[in-house]
Amino acid sequence: MLRHRWFGSLVNRAVALVIGGILLSALLVTVAGSLLSRAELQQQAQIQVQTIATLVAEELDDKLALRLEALNHVAQSLTMSDQVLKTRARVLVRRQTALQHLFDGIYLVDENGRVVAEHPEAFRQTGLSVRDREYFQRVSSMLTPVISEPYRSNYQNKPAVMIAAPIFDHRQRFIGMIGGAILLEGDNFLKQFIGLRIGETGRLSLATRSGIVVADERDGRIMSPVRVANPVLQDAMGGFEGTLETRAADGERTILSVQQMSQVPWFVAASWPAREALAPITRTLDAFVWTLLGVILLIAPLALWRFSRLMAPLTALGEQIRERHLGMRSEPVSVSGGTEIRQVAEIFNTVMDERDEVLGSLAEREAFFRSLTQSAPIGIVQTDVLGRIEFANPAFEAIIGLPAEELTYSYLANRVDQADRAQAVAGWKQAIRNQSVFRGRLRLETINPDQVVWGDVMTAAIQTPEKALGTITVVRDISRELEVEEALRDEQQRAESILGVLQEGVLMVDVTGVIRYANDAACRFLGTEGECVLRNFFELVTIQNEEGPLQRDRFLAGEDLDSLYITLANNQGQSFAIDLTMLHIRRGREDERLVFVLRDDSDRRRQEERLSWEATHDSLTHLLNRRAFNASLIKCLGETSRQEAPSVLMLIDLDHFKPVNDEGGHLVGDDLLKRLAELFRESVRQSDTVARLGGDEFGIILPACGMARAEALAERIRSGVESLRIEHDGRSFGVTASIGLTALTPQDSSPREVMSRADEGSYIAKSHGRNAVVVVPSPPAG
């Protein structure tokens, strides 16, 4: 009611517009000023918080560095024997006056982790063992000064941090450590740090990256876990350093700055509530709102009085227009007032004159329209606002099968099949109401009830500024087109059914890589479980061949591919060996497509790998055979000039193996060879090469091993072979090994020379009673 009565007046609308303009301008100025001021204040606050956090972190680093350096200096001056250190421990601790001012407690600990002296002695730690403490384990193992993680001390379970330095005797042997304890709740530099403030409510806290609070003045928490609900503190434990606006545990927005310390894996966190940092903006906005309210109370009455005076002539103009429309006035309207009001009167007079001319020419245009539609190849129908046909051209008569005399003044909706009639009527009504165009495919009723005629129908409203006059409808017979579309859909469905049962993956992508079609087999390769279409093929998989990764541009610019062997890996971690075929369709055009056919090639590749393995390995022991061993030896010979330590060749010839086969049988002999092969594999490095060269002969290549290490290894292998026994039918079978060693030199021209020297070593071992290791030196250079 308020809207119709009060806002029905243009004067009131103008006043409301002025007030609204003032409010909008004030709002824009306020918002812009607030945003700029807030950004400036926020930046200053962040700089302030970051500066404080940086200064505190640097100050703490300096204080810790000073104490670490002082403690290390004292430790270096205590170079003496461990017995002297224990005897003079109490005297030495009492003399450290400088350390007593720097630490809350000083402890002298022997090499076994037992406290031998302390200051102050009131702590009563002498005689206690700190062997299991983290700081003692680090000092005794690393032999360097350390700053410990926060821990609960033995003195009244108080939290503390230990700075410790190792003590060495004159032979640089570790004999103990000297440590300085800093109580986290003591009267020291940490207390000075925790008392700092940022503004009135801003606070500082100190924590370790492992998630332990060292100092926090807000709630006095020490040695408690860091509240990781704040993501910034989570990042700080991972090494993050910076200043951000975040939310505290209670949900309040806070400016938080994190600075990492360099002396220890700790970080300083400085926080300042945003409401306090940005408080000046709130006070400015309050003052601005009261000022704006006073301005509106002053301007509103003045605007109402002035607009009432300006709009008075408009009332007189409205009365004259009403009289002219009702025929009570024949002369043009004429009023005084502002330029706009006089212009409205002139426009109204002009419109009335033009209307008379339009009505005169309307009959001529109608005749022209009817003559034009007579020869149109598509059906054209004109109706009134009730949907009754006023005109139908010959093409529409042919579609329906009725002459114009029977169609005129009948309802157009009756020409639509009953199944589609409700849809058509609703669409025509909406077109008239919204002055829009209705389009649809409808079935039409004809004189032949057995014939179904489909029409592509488009209806638009015929309207004047005053009212709707009816509709104009265009109808095109599309029955034949729909039959062709149905046939194409059947063919497409048949093709998709065939592709769906294929084992090969078939998919079609556009030039950007978006999948337009994919059968089930292709989706399995892509790891998408049937949800392939409209996803990017090259983002779902990685394609690689022997030359390297294949990208989208390579396929788009290249020729058609037939049987390209690739490896396809999807985002689910699955990898497939694929025989790939790729075809271009409509190449170079805007609607170009790429068709990929993916065939699983895993069985063929596994067969090739099996044959390759059998060609290079011994079938009984699964060691390399002589052929692969020679190839490895040739490669190692080519690298001898670039190695600091010489490579070594070891030949192993089994002793007394024939009696094992003769007395125990070949199965026992084969079992013994397998166990020996396992012994050789476990004895060498992964980079070494082990092979079976013949029936009971084995070879080992030791790259960059050095002769001393190779000789020790050969002795272990000889001992292991000697101790290996197999029990069969109540008898024990075993062998020994005659081993020959020789170093590979740049002067060796072929594997035969090296093999001859190592073979000579095994012969010498056999001639000296077997079960021995013999080193054959390399010939001198030149």
Side-chain angles (χ1 to χ4, degrees):
M1 184 179 295
L2 177 64
R3 177 181 177 186
H4 288 292
R5 291 184 178 180
W6 199 87
F7 280 100
S9 170
L10 291 179
V11 174
N12 295 341
R13 293 184 185 182
V15 173
L17 181 62
V18 171
I19 301 301
I22 294 174
L23 291 175
L24 180 60
S25 301
L27 179 63
L28 292 176
V29 171
T30 303
V31 172
S34 176
L35 291 177
L36 293 175
S37 301
R38 179 183 177 88
E40 183 66 23
L41 280 175
Q42 187 173 15
Q43 183 178 7
Q44 293 177 4
Q46 289 182 350
I47 293 174
Q48 182 177 352
V49 173
Q50 181 176 353
T51 302
I52 292 175
T54 303
L55 291 176
V56 169
E58 292 176 353
E59 181 68 16
L60 289 176
D61 275 329
D62 292 342
K63 290 183 179 298
L64 290 174
L66 172 64
R67 285 159 173 75
L68 186 65
E69 182 179 359
L71 199 66
N72 190 38
H73 178 73
V74 170
Q76 292 176 356
S77 67
L78 299 179
T79 304
M80 59 188 68
S81 67
D82 57 346
Q83 188 63 38
V84 174
L85 179 67
K86 295 176 182 177
T87 303
R88 302 184 60 196
R90 297 182 63 183
V91 176
L92 293 174
V93 170
R94 290 175 181 174
R95 290 179 179 178
Q96 306 306 321
T97 306
L99 296 183
Q100 294 171 10
H101 291 289
L102 295 177
F103 296 97
D104 295 316
I106 305 173
Y107 303 96
L108 197 60
V109 182
D110 63 15
E111 72 276 11
N112 297 319
R114 186 168 300 279
V115 179
V116 296
E118 64 176 326
H119 177 85
E121 296 181 353
F123 286 174
R124 298 181 179 179
Q125 304 298 303
T126 304
L128 296 181
S129 175
V130 295
R131 186 180 186 87
D132 295 331
R133 291 290 190 182
E134 170 260 349
Y135 57 83
F136 179 79
Q137 294 178 355
R138 289 173 57 194
V139 169
S140 60
S141 61
M142 299 170 57
L143 301 181
T144 58
V146 300
I147 301 176
S148 76
E149 288 285 306
Y151 66 96
R152 290 285 179 181
S153 67
N154 294 327
Y155 176 65
Q156 297 181 359
N157 204 30
K158 290 188 175 183
V161 173
M162 178 68 72
I163 302 178
I167 302 174
F168 304 96
D169 60 8
H170 294 287
R171 292 179 297 175
Q172 293 300 309
R173 185 176 64 86
F174 176 74
I175 62 173
M177 63 161 249
I178 183 169
I182 302 173
L183 296 179
L184 300 183
E185 297 176 345
D187 188 9
N188 49 44
F189 67 96
L190 289 178
K191 184 176 181 180
Q192 300 172 2
F193 148 76
I194 205 61
L196 292 177
R197 294 288 187 276
I198 305 174
E200 295 182 0
T201 59
R203 296 294 185 268
L204 290 166
S205 61
L206 180 65
T208 68
R209 292 187 193 172
S210 60
I212 300 176
V213 175
V214 179
D216 190 340
E217 198 276 339
R218 182 180 298 273
D219 50 13
R221 295 185 303 119
I222 298 178
M223 291 292 293
S224 60
V226 174
R227 295 174 179 173
V228 295
N230 192 319
V232 178
L233 296 181
Q234 287 182 337
D235 296 340
M237 289 189 289
F240 166 76
E241 185 176 63
T243 304
L244 296 172
E245 182 173 336
T246 182
R247 289 192 181 274
D250 56 1
E252 182 181 20
R253 298 201 66 83
T254 302
I255 298 174
L256 181 62
S257 179
V258 175
Q259 297 297 324
Q260 301 288 342
M261 295 178 59
S262 59
Q263 291 294 327
V264 286
W266 300 354
F267 62 88
V268 176
S271 62
W272 194 11
R275 55 176 174 76
E276 180 182 343
L278 305 179
I281 297 178
T282 304
R283 295 192 292 270
T284 302
L285 289 177
D286 292 341
F288 183 80
V289 169
W290 286 107
T291 303
L292 178 62
L293 182 60
V295 171
I296 292 175
L297 293 176
L298 177 64
I299 291 179
L302 293 176
L304 182 62
W305 172 78
R306 182 56 183 166
F307 285 132
S308 298
R309 294 287 304 274
L310 291 175
M311 299 299 292
L314 192 60
T315 304
L317 176 61
E319 183 64 24
Q320 293 183 24
I321 290 175
R322 187 180 67 83
E323 293 175 354
R324 180 72 186 273
H325 178 69
L326 295 176
M328 300 168 59
R329 182 186 180 94
S330 59
E331 65 273 12
V333 298
S334 177
V335 297
S336 60
T339 303
E340 292 80 5
I341 298 177
R342 292 196 302 271
Q343 187 176 7
V344 170
E346 293 174 359
I347 292 174
F348 176 75
N349 292 330
T350 303
V351 169
M352 293 300 293
D353 294 338
E354 291 178 351
R355 187 184 70 167
D356 295 338
E357 295 180 2
V358 169
L359 291 176
S361 63
L362 185 58
E364 297 178 3
R365 296 189 178 185
E366 183 178 357
F368 173 75
F369 167 74
R370 291 180 180 273
S371 62
L372 182 63
T373 57
Q374 289 291 330
S375 57
I378 58 177
I380 300 176
V381 183
Q382 178 188 345
T383 68
D384 59 16
V385 291
L386 299 178
R388 293 174 298 191
I389 298 175
E390 293 182 342
F391 169 78
N393 72 340
F396 184 76
E397 297 174 10
I399 293 173
I400 301 300
L402 294 174
E405 292 78 10
E406 297 186 27
L407 294 174
T408 304
Y409 300 118
S410 65
Y411 287 97
L412 179 58
N414 293 336
R415 300 298 104 200
V416 181
D417 189 85
Q418 187 69 35
D420 298 335
R421 189 169 300 170
Q423 173 191 352
V425 172
W428 290 333
K429 287 182 179 180
Q430 185 177 5
I432 296 175
R433 184 168 54 251
N434 299 336
Q435 299 184 16
S436 59
V437 176
F438 166 76
R439 294 201 62 171
R441 289 184 172 185
L442 306 174
R443 285 166 287 192
L444 306 178
E445 288 188 352
T446 64
I447 58 174
N448 186 359
D450 297 329
Q451 180 184 8
V452 178
V453 176
W454 281 89
D456 186 4
V457 179
M458 182 173 65
T459 300
I462 303 175
Q463 292 183 323
T464 65
E466 292 84 5
K467 61 180 180 179
L469 302 178
T471 63
I472 185 74
T473 301
V474 177
V475 181
R476 184 169 63 89
D477 187 354
I478 58 170
S479 303
R480 179 58 182 167
E481 294 180 12
L482 294 180
E483 292 177 2
V484 174
E485 289 180 3
E486 183 67 23
L488 290 176
R489 279 195 297 270
D490 292 342
E491 290 298 327
Q492 182 178 359
Q493 185 176 4
R494 188 179 300 109
E496 291 179 355
S497 299
I498 295 173
L499 292 175
V501 300
L502 291 178
Q503 295 299 319
E504 292 85 356
V506 180
L507 56 90
M508 180 171 63
V509 305
D510 60 20
V511 293
T512 64
V514 174
I515 300 173
R516 300 299 180 179
Y517 171 80
N519 65 354
D520 292 342
C523 293
R524 286 195 298 272
F525 285 127
L526 304 185
T528 57
E529 296 297 331
E531 299 178 358
C532 303
V533 178
L534 299 183
R535 301 182 67 177
N536 194 292
F537 171 60
F538 297 102
E539 293 177 359
L540 293 174
V541 299
T542 301
I543 301 175
Q544 188 168 358
N545 66 353
E546 296 178 352
E547 300 177 358
L550 302 178
Q551 306 296 338
R552 177 181 65 87
D553 295 339
R554 170 77 176 275
F555 291 106
L556 193 63
E559 299 297 327
D560 293 347
L561 301 175
D562 185 17
S563 294
L564 176 66
Y565 298 119
I566 64 166
T567 299
L568 183 144
N570 59 35
N571 294 337
Q572 303 300 320
Q574 299 172 317
S575 182
F576 300 95
I578 297 296
D579 180 359
L580 175 68
T581 298
M582 189 273 294
L583 302 174
H584 289 270
I585 298 178
R586 298 187 291 274
R587 185 166 191 168
R589 291 169 50 180
E590 185 178 355
D591 57 346
E592 180 179 352
R593 297 289 186 266
L594 300 178
V595 176
F596 291 89
V597 179
L598 311 175
R599 303 180 186 87
D600 193 340
D601 198 40
S602 303
D603 292 339
R604 185 191 63 81
R605 297 193 188 183
R606 281 195 294 269
Q607 180 68 11
E608 289 183 353
E609 292 174 358
R610 185 182 64 80
L611 294 176
S612 176
W613 187 90
E614 291 178 352
T616 57
H617 288 75
D618 176 56
S619 59
L620 176 64
T621 62
H622 293 177
L623 298 177
L624 293 179
N625 58 19
R626 180 179 288 273
R627 177 182 178 186
F629 182 81
N630 287 338
S632 298
L633 183 57
I634 293 173
K635 179 181 178 181
C636 195
L637 283 172
E639 297 174 352
T640 54
S641 60
R642 299 190 299 269
Q643 294 173 344
E644 296 181 359
S647 300
V648 177
L649 172 63
M650 179 190 306
L651 288 185
I652 304 171
D653 197 350
L654 301 182
D655 304 324
H656 312 297
F657 181 71
K658 188 174 183 301
V660 175
N661 273 338
D662 294 343
E663 300 174 15
H666 288 285
L667 292 179
V668 174
D670 291 347
D671 188 21
L672 179 61
L673 291 176
K674 292 178 182 178
R675 297 193 186 186
L676 290 173
E678 187 64 26
L679 170 65
F680 299 154
R681 268 195 298 262
E682 293 176 352
S683 300
V684 301
R685 304 167 297 179
Q686 290 186 351
S687 59
D688 299 336
T689 301
V690 183
R692 182 187 180 194
L693 305 181
D696 58 354
E697 185 179 6
F698 296 86
I700 299 177
I701 302 174
L702 305 170
C705 176
M707 184 54 73
R709 292 178 58 189
E711 191 171 356
L713 174 62
E715 185 60 35
R716 288 201 305 272
I717 291 176
R718 182 204 63 75
S719 176
V721 173
E722 183 181 13
S723 60
L724 180 62
R725 309 293 296 180
I726 294 180
E727 302 296 330
H728 180 72
D729 290 342
R731 297 184 60 187
S732 177
F733 296 93
V735 294
T736 59
S738 297
I739 302 176
L741 294 177
T742 187
L744 280 64
T745 66
Q747 289 74 33
D748 291 321
S749 59
S750 68
R752 180 174 297 178
E753 298 178 18
V754 185
M755 292 286 288
S756 297
R757 291 201 303 271
D759 205 19
E760 181 183 352
S762 63
Y763 286 148
I764 294 175
K766 285 184 177 295
S767 65
H768 290 173
R770 297 183 174 85
N771 194 22
V773 176
V774 175
V775 178
V776 178
S778 303

